[in-house]
Every structure is written in structure tokens, then in C-alpha cells.
Amino acid sequence: MLSKYLKNNIRFLDEVSSWENSIKVAADPLLTKGNITTEYIQDMIDNVKMNGPYIVIVPGIAMPHAKNEGGVIETGISLLKLKRPVLFPDDKEVSLLIVLAAEDSVGHLDLISDLSSILIDEEVMSKFKSSDNEEEIIELMEMVE
């Protein structure tokens, strides 16, 4: 399921100027395709400002998301991989952002469940972190689906 959503939604950059910008850049493919609104992006940023960097789910990996509240038009996932980590609040370094946008809470949980199976597989995560092209990341996703 993840590989289907990630197709053409992966970006690779050297760096970004701020953690707020990292969320904007990571979410841009979903905005461009019409999956989400600009309000959804702002909600993701506001969540971190209000609740701290809870979206940093494991060292180096953040999963920005927000409540649907009308900001999600169609379920989607996008990914941003940075060569140089960006600093989130509480000095949390992040080099991989996976933006989740689900039309409903059930879809949200399904996406998180699928991502969890990738995050707990050390071999897949090692390859994932060293990958620098979309095709390879899609193949890794397909291996664990």
C-alpha cells in the first residue's frame, strides 16, 4: 500500500533552512497533486509548535501529520530525505520526513501500521537510509508490504 502512495512523491535534498520548511517541502508533492490543502501543512507545523517534536518517532525520522479537519482531500504519503539533518525543537535531528495525509482516522492507522513494519526491520531501514533514488525506496516498501 505504501509503495502505491509514494510513487512520484519522494524528494531528495541536501538541506533545508528550518524544520518548518522541511515539513512544507516534504508535503509539497501532496499539495501539488491536490491530496492536501495549505491549511493541512500549517496544521502539521502548528502541531509541533503546540505539542513539541512528538512527530520524531525514532531518531532521525519524523512523521508529520495532522487531524483531517477538511485539509485532506485524498489519502497520500510523501517523503523527504535530507543529506544534512534539520533541527526540530528539543534539538532533535531529522533527515527523513514521511508526511501522512489520511482521509479518515482508520486510513491513518493503516498507514502508520504499514510504516511500523518498515521501521522495525533493521535491514530494510539500513537500506532505506542509504538509498538515494525513488525506485530503490519503492522496491524496499514493496518488500515489506
Side-chain angles (χ1 to χ4, degrees), residues 90-134:
D90 297 339
D91 295 327
K92 296 193 181 265
E93 289 187 347
V94 171
S95 56
L96 182 65
L97 290 93
I98 304 166
V99 174
L100 295 180
E103 292 175 72
D104 57 48
S105 58
V106 174
H108 196 95
L109 294 175
D110 288 343
L111 294 175
I112 289 173
S113 174
D114 289 349
L115 282 169
S116 297
S117 49
I118 291 166
L119 296 172
I120 61 173
D121 189 319
E122 290 181 27
E123 183 181 336
V124 171
M125 277 310 298
S126 175
K127 291 177 182 175
F128 197 82
K129 288 179 179 179
S130 66
S131 176
D132 63 357
N133 70 70
E134 180 174 314

Side-chain angles (χ1 to χ4, degrees), residues 50-111:
M50 287 188 297
N51 303 310
Y54 76 97
I55 64 168
V56 181
I57 53 171
V58 295
I61 300 176
M63 196 180 302
H65 59 280
K67 291 182 179 176
N68 182 344
E69 308 287 322
V72 178
I73 298 156
E74 185 178 340
T75 297
I77 301 174
S78 58
L79 186 145
L80 172 63
K81 191 164 183 220
L82 301 168
K83 284 188 181 175
R84 286 182 284 290
V86 64
L87 201 59
F88 270 71
D90 297 339
D91 295 327
K92 296 193 181 265
E93 289 187 347
V94 171
S95 56
L96 182 65
L97 290 93
I98 304 166
V99 174
L100 295 180
E103 292 175 72
D104 57 48
S105 58
V106 174
H108 196 95
L109 294 175
D110 288 343
L111 294 175

Side-chain angles (χ1 to χ4, degrees), residues 9-58:
N9 287 346
I10 300 175
R11 287 195 168 162
F12 300 89
L13 292 175
D14 288 341
E15 63 186 346
V16 292
S17 58
S18 66
W19 68 264
E20 295 96 335
N21 194 41
S22 72
I23 291 175
K24 291 176 185 175
V25 172
D28 187 61
L30 299 178
L31 181 65
T32 300
K33 288 182 176 179
N35 294 80
I36 61 172
T37 65
T38 55
E39 289 80 14
Y40 187 75
I41 295 172
Q42 189 59 51
D43 287 348
M44 290 189 288
I45 292 168
D46 290 345
N47 275 345
V48 175
K49 288 180 178 177
M50 287 188 297
N51 303 310
Y54 76 97
I55 64 168
V56 181
I57 53 171
V58 295

